[in-house]
């Protein structure tokens, strides 16, 4: 063992109680930091994963990126026209199948056409405004998890009846509908049809399960009173993180509004960023408080060892050696505290993950946690850095002591 | 002509303050190898201050201290520390041993800091030194398990650890009883006569000073007497 290390070790070993308190401080700091990081990042990852699974990665709608130029503007070189009624544009994506074919040639992932519609759902004397989405069951399974969320029936059940309808389970409960119930749908365009419930799904998102129904593309087109209309193309990219870039390129290519899941959930993702800032501030504060304990022990040892420092200097120990002894003492406290803190953090994370609970917003029954080596490394690195700083200042003071002053005082 | 082991040239030390205090005033002094020097004088005369200046524990306000002909005034603190470690040994009135370490570990400390010997050789030399000073039966003991005289002998062993040519002692017998005083004095004298060391010791005890080869007397920081004498071997007993 080197001289510096053996002297540092002897010092901290002979102040076992104070050392234990300092080590406990660092251990608690690291432990709670690891647990908090695991909990926060775990819930964040789970949340994003759920978002990514539940929503299309990219949604192309029939809204144009630039407003269409009015015919009068195009025909006459006038400075400005007032009081023009805008040209009526036929809703829907132009040549949707050609657009899909073109996108399929380069977009990494799966695409499916759909029709977004609003309708009033009437059953047993109740009227509820509902989102009716027309889908193609053959390609829907490649783009969304709807197939796996089916509680009763399958996506192919939509082919079983004419005007077949899949309902969210909460919506069905709300109106008292069951499989084979006949429901009336009335669209905003005045189209009315009788639909039969052929399946129930449960996504876990209350908003979706309470207000959404799925029908075949053809059925939705009838509700919209527009044959062949496709007003949305949904895409599931191979790498969800590339969605934003792909979406921008699609927007430029098609001229339609293309929104990635990141863009659609920008507010939530900003909130997550804010939450992370808060988390790291709290974790930093915990470790800072722990470093005060280390500072305290090293200061105490330095104070108690003033005479010994003078003796060592009179023997010929250099300032650097004296400084290193006390810094190594602080690092020993930090190192042992970090190691124990990692164990404590792991155990607390395990404990937290095993707790069961229910929330009204989702179907989680366990707190999602993330086990990541980076949490342990980061917390330990911050704890060691804090310990180094906590030890540096007393060590610097010790190295600056004038041996003659202490020897005179001692004699 | 041999180079002096230690040389002070017009060395002055002033303590700054509202009223500056001159501890050592314009001292010229040469200490040659194998000398056994006593520094005497009344309390507050600057004896210990002179010793600390000669031992590079303190820096003179003006003048210079040369060790083996080399000026130390412009040395960095680290260089001065290295000279102390390799060429000077200190013994203080109180033993100043580190309480958490065994006496062997205490003696080994300067050798470990210098790093010239292997760990095994360091421990062997520490044990040899302690045994030569009559402490062979106490090697594993901590300082608080020894008497005052024994502790002071450990301090002498520690001062000898790196085999320095000079031992500087500040009242080495000041806190000892008469028996221990005699033992420690004999050890210091043997260092000069048998091992060829130079010993410079601050002492209040004029009887001890008279039994040394040279006596330097200070008064108010000034050198007032520098007397060499031939000591009668019968008187030394």
């Amino acid at each position: 063992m080197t001289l510096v290390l053996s002297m540092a070790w002897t010092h901290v070993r002979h102040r076992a109680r104070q050392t234990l308190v300092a080590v406990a401080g660092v251990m608690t700091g690291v432990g709670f930091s690891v647990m908090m990081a695991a909990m926060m990042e775990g819930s964040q990852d789970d949340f994003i994963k759920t978002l990514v699974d539940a929503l299309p990665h990219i949604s192309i709608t029939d809204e144009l990126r630039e407003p269409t130029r009015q015919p009068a503007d195009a025909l006459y070189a006038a400075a400005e026209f007032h009081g023009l009624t805008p040209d009526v544009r036929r809703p829907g994506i132009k040549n949707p199948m050609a657009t899909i074919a073109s996108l399929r040639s380069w977009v990494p992932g799966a695409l499916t056409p759909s029709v977004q519609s609003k309708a009033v759902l009437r059953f047993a004397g109740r009227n509820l405004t509902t989102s009716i989405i027309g889908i193609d069951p053959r390609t829907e399974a490649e783009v969304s998890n709807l197939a796996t969320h089916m509680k009763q029936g399958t996506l192919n059940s939509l082919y079983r009846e004419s005007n077949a309808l899949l309902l969210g389970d909460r919506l069905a409960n709300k109106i008292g509908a069951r499989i084979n119930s006949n429901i009336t749908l009335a669209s905003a365009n005045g189209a009315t049809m009788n639909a039969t419930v052929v399946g129930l799904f449960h996504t876990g998102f209350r908003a979706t399960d309470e207000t959404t129904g799925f029908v075949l593309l053809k059925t939705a087109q009838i509700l919209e009173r527009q044959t062949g209309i496709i007003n949305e193309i949904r895409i599931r990219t191979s790498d969800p993180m590339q969605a934003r870039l792909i979406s921008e390129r699609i927007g430029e290519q098609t001229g339609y509004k293309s929104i990635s899941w990141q863009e659609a959930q920008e507010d939530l993702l900003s909130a997550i960023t804010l939450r992370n800032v808060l988390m790291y501030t709290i974790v930093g504060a915990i470790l800072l408080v722990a470093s005060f304990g280390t500072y305290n022990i090293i200061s105490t040892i330095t104070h108690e060892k003033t005479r010994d420092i003078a003796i060592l200097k009179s023997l010929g120990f250099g300032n650097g050696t004296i400084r290193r002894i006390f810094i190594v003492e602080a690092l020993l406290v930090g190192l042992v505290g970090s190691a124990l803190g990692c164990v404590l953090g792991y155990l607390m994370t395990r404990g937290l993950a095993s707790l069961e609970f229910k929330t009204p917003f989702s179907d989680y029954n366990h707190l999602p946690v993330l086990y990541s080596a980076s949490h342990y490394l980061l917390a330990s690195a911050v704890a060691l850095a804090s310990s180094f700083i906590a030890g540096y200042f007393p060590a610097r003071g010790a190295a600056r002591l004038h041996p003659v002053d202490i020897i005179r005082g001692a004699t | 002509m041999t180079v002096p082991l230690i040389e002070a040239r017009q060395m002055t030390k002033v303590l700054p303050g509202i009223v500056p205090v001159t501890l050592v005033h314009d001292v010229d002094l040469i200490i040659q190898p194998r000398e056994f020097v006593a520094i005497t004088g009344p309390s507050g005369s600057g004896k210990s201050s002179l010793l600390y200046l000669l031992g590079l524990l303190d820096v003179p306000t003006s003048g210079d201290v040369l060790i083996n002909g080399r000026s130390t005034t412009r040395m960095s603190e680290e260089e001065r520390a290295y000279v102390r470690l390799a060429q000077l040994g200190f013994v203080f009135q109180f033993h100043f041993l580190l309480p958490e370490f065994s006496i062997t570990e205490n003696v080994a400390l300067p050798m470990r800091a210098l790093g010239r010997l292997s760990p095994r050789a360091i421990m062997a030399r520490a044990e040899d030194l302690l045994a030569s000073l009559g402490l062979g039966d106490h090697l594993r003991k901590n300082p608080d398990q020894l008497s005052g005289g024994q502790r002071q002998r450990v301090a002498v062993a520690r001062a000898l650890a790196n085999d320095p040519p000079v031992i500087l002692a500040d009242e080495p017998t000041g806190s000892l009883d008469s028996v221990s005083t005699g033992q420690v004095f004999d050890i210091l004298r043997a260092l000069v006569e048998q091992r060829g060391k130079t010993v410079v010791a601050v002492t209040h005890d004029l009887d001890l000073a008279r039994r040394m080869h040279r006596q330097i007397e200070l008064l108010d920081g000034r050198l007032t007497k520098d007397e060499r004498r031939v000591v009668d071997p019968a008187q030394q007993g």
Side-chain angles (χ1 to χ4, degrees):
Chain A
M1 205 189 300
T2 67
L3 176 64
V4 167
L5 189 59
S6 72
M7 294 205 70
W9 174 243
T10 306
H11 281 173
V12 293
R13 194 163 46 90
H14 277 78
R15 272 146 200 81
R17 199 169 52 183
Q18 289 163 299
T19 304
L20 275 178
V21 171
V23 165
V26 177
M27 180 183 80
T28 312
V30 170
F32 274 90
S33 304
V34 166
M35 185 197 73
M36 278 192 70
M39 187 175 70
M40 301 287 269
E41 214 168 310
S43 63
Q44 174 187 318
D45 277 15
D46 195 77
F47 182 69
I48 288 176
K49 187 171 173 293
T50 310
L51 265 185
V52 167
D53 282 349
L55 301 171
H57 296 171
I58 299 169
S59 167
I60 307 164
T61 59
D62 59 352
E63 283 178 55
L64 293 172
R65 293 169 76 217
E66 303 288 338
T68 47
R69 207 162 172 222
Q70 294 302 313
D73 287 330
L75 284 172
Y76 302 103
E80 197 175 354
F81 285 102
H82 288 283
L84 281 176
T85 305
D87 191 25
V88 176
R89 190 173 66 86
R90 184 181 151 88
I93 293 168
K94 272 187 187 171
N95 300 323
M97 292 310 153
T99 306
I100 288 171
S102 162
L103 292 175
R104 273 206 178 108
S105 66
W106 67 269
V107 172
L111 296 87
T112 188
S114 61
V115 178
Q116 292 278 353
S117 179
K118 291 278 180 200
V120 174
L121 186 149
R122 292 188 190 129
F123 183 73
R126 295 197 66 177
N127 292 334
L128 284 176
T129 306
T130 315
S131 282
I132 298 295
I133 303 172
I135 58 169
D136 178 350
R138 287 166 303 182
T139 50
E140 182 65 28
E142 296 168 11
V143 172
S144 77
N145 288 337
L146 183 60
T148 60
H149 292 149
M150 294 305 297
K151 279 175 77 179
Q152 284 182 273
T154 61
L155 291 188
N156 285 331
S157 304
L158 287 172
Y159 295 116
R160 212 181 71 198
E161 306 256 351
S162 58
N163 299 343
L165 173 67
L166 304 176
L167 274 188
D169 59 349
R170 287 177 182 273
L171 177 57
N173 274 342
K174 206 182 236 182
I175 59 174
R178 295 176 187 176
I179 296 290
N180 295 326
S181 294
N182 284 313
I183 287 173
T184 304
L185 295 175
S187 76
N189 296 322
T192 305
M193 66 166 64
N194 288 320
T196 308
V197 179
V198 294
L200 299 176
F201 63 85
H202 177 81
T203 63
F205 281 97
R206 180 180 282 245
T208 306
D209 296 338
E210 270 188 356
T211 62
T212 310
F214 289 93
V215 295
L216 285 177
L217 278 176
K218 188 184 64 185
T219 313
Q221 286 163 350
I222 294 167
L223 263 180
E224 284 293 297
R225 283 192 160 167
Q226 199 172 325
T227 313
I229 183 176
I230 298 294
N231 58 18
E232 187 184 31
I233 298 169
R234 287 179 294 144
I235 301 172
R236 189 176 190 83
T237 52
S238 309
D239 178 4
M241 293 303 151
Q242 293 296 316
R244 192 187 285 267
L245 285 175
I246 296 169
S247 166
E248 281 169 12
R249 194 173 153 195
I250 291 172
E252 282 166 16
Q253 182 187 319
T254 62
Y256 287 114
K257 194 172 177 181
S258 172
I259 297 175
S260 64
W261 67 270
Q262 292 108 317
E263 213 178 329
Q265 303 298 332
E266 208 144 18
D267 291 350
L268 276 173
L269 294 177
S270 301
I272 285 172
T273 307
L274 185 68
R275 200 179 71 143
N276 284 344
V277 170
L278 280 173
M279 176 189 80
Y280 286 113
T281 307
I282 293 167
V283 166
I286 294 171
L287 288 168
L288 184 70
V289 171
S291 73
F292 283 121
T294 309
Y295 177 84
N296 194 33
I297 171 80
I298 303 304
S299 289
T300 308
I301 291 177
T302 311
H303 184 70
E304 287 176 359
K305 290 280 146 200
T306 304
R307 199 193 65 165
D308 291 3
I309 293 164
I311 300 312
L312 291 173
K313 291 188 85 168
S314 73
L315 292 178
F317 280 60
N319 287 351
T321 310
I322 301 286
R323 205 166 37 233
R324 279 195 293 278
I325 290 171
F326 291 96
I327 287 174
V328 167
E329 285 174 25
L331 288 177
L332 279 174
V333 170
L335 205 64
V336 176
S338 296
L340 294 175
C342 286
V343 175
L344 178 71
Y346 176 75
L347 294 176
M348 287 199 297
T349 307
R350 286 288 298 268
L352 208 62
S354 67
L355 293 178
E356 281 196 28
F357 62 95
K358 280 255 177 210
T359 76
F361 309 107
S362 70
D363 291 344
Y364 300 137
N365 50 14
H366 286 286
L367 199 64
V369 294
L370 178 76
Y371 295 97
S372 167
S374 64
H375 297 159
Y376 296 83
L377 289 175
L378 184 68
S380 300
V382 173
L384 279 177
S386 306
S387 298
F388 174 82
I389 294 166
Y392 177 76
F393 292 102
R396 192 178 62 167
R400 283 178 177 172
L401 284 174
H402 200 287
V404 170
D405 296 340
I406 290 106
I407 291 165
R408 278 184 192 285
T411 53
Chain B
M1 188 181 164
T2 55
V3 177
L5 213 50
I6 304 177
E7 184 180 358
R9 287 182 183 166
Q10 294 174 319
M11 188 175 67
T12 296
K13 176 69 183 179
V14 180
L15 274 189
I18 299 167
V19 182
V21 178
T22 303
L23 299 174
V24 174
H25 191 86
D26 204 20
V27 167
D28 284 295
L29 182 66
I30 288 177
I31 292 170
Q32 298 289 2
R34 298 176 71 98
E35 279 197 294
F36 192 18
V37 184
I39 301 176
T40 59
S43 292
S45 59
K47 305 184 294 295
S48 295
S49 299
L50 175 63
L51 192 82
Y52 298 150
L53 288 165
L54 296 177
L56 310 187
L57 279 176
D58 207 354
V59 185
T61 311
S62 64
D64 198 358
V65 178
L66 292 84
I67 304 286
N68 282 324
R70 191 177 164 211
S71 168
T72 60
T73 311
R74 288 189 182 81
M75 280 184 181
S76 68
E77 184 50 43
E78 291 295 315
E79 283 176 301
R80 294 160 64 81
Y82 185 77
V83 172
R84 283 201 299 272
L85 186 64
Q87 298 188 45
L88 305 171
F90 282 92
V91 179
F92 297 97
Q93 180 178 357
F94 299 100
H95 56 84
F96 285 160
L97 299 171
L98 303 188
E100 296 100 340
F101 294 87
S102 72
I103 60 168
T104 310
E105 287 170 330
N106 265 284
V107 175
L109 278 177
M111 291 185 271
R112 293 178 70 184
L114 194 61
R116 282 183 186 158
L117 299 176
S118 68
R120 190 185 292 269
I122 286 173
M123 293 316 282
R125 177 168 166 75
E127 289 177 2
D128 285 349
L129 278 170
L130 287 167
S132 71
L133 295 174
L135 294 163
D137 296 335
H138 307 283
L139 298 175
R140 303 285 165 259
K141 287 184 179 170
N142 277 19
D144 58 3
Q145 294 171 288
L146 301 181
S147 69
Q150 287 172 321
R151 288 179 203 170
Q152 202 61 320
R153 278 187 274 157
V154 176
V156 173
R158 185 179 63 184
L160 291 168
N162 285 327
D163 198 20
V166 185
I167 302 295
L168 301 167
D170 188 7
E171 300 275 10
T173 58
S175 59
L176 302 179
D177 58 37
S178 58
V179 175
S180 299
T181 297
Q183 288 174 342
V184 170
F185 181 80
D186 288 344
I187 288 167
L188 293 176
R189 192 182 60 201
L191 292 179
V192 177
E193 293 175 355
Q194 292 167 23
R195 300 199 194 193
K197 304 288 180 195
T198 297
V199 173
V200 181
V202 168
T203 181
H204 268 107
D205 190 333
L206 292 177
D207 184 42
L208 285 183
R210 272 193 286 274
R211 290 158 63 189
M212 294 162 80
H213 302 163
R214 184 179 172 191
Q215 184 181 351
I216 293 165
E217 195 172 277
L218 287 177
L219 186 65
D220 295 333
R222 291 172 194 273
L223 211 67
T224 54
K225 183 166 103 177
D226 186 353
E227 186 180 272
R228 284 185 169 81
R229 63 172 73 90
V230 177
V231 181
D232 178 3
Q235 200 187 350
Q236 291 182 355

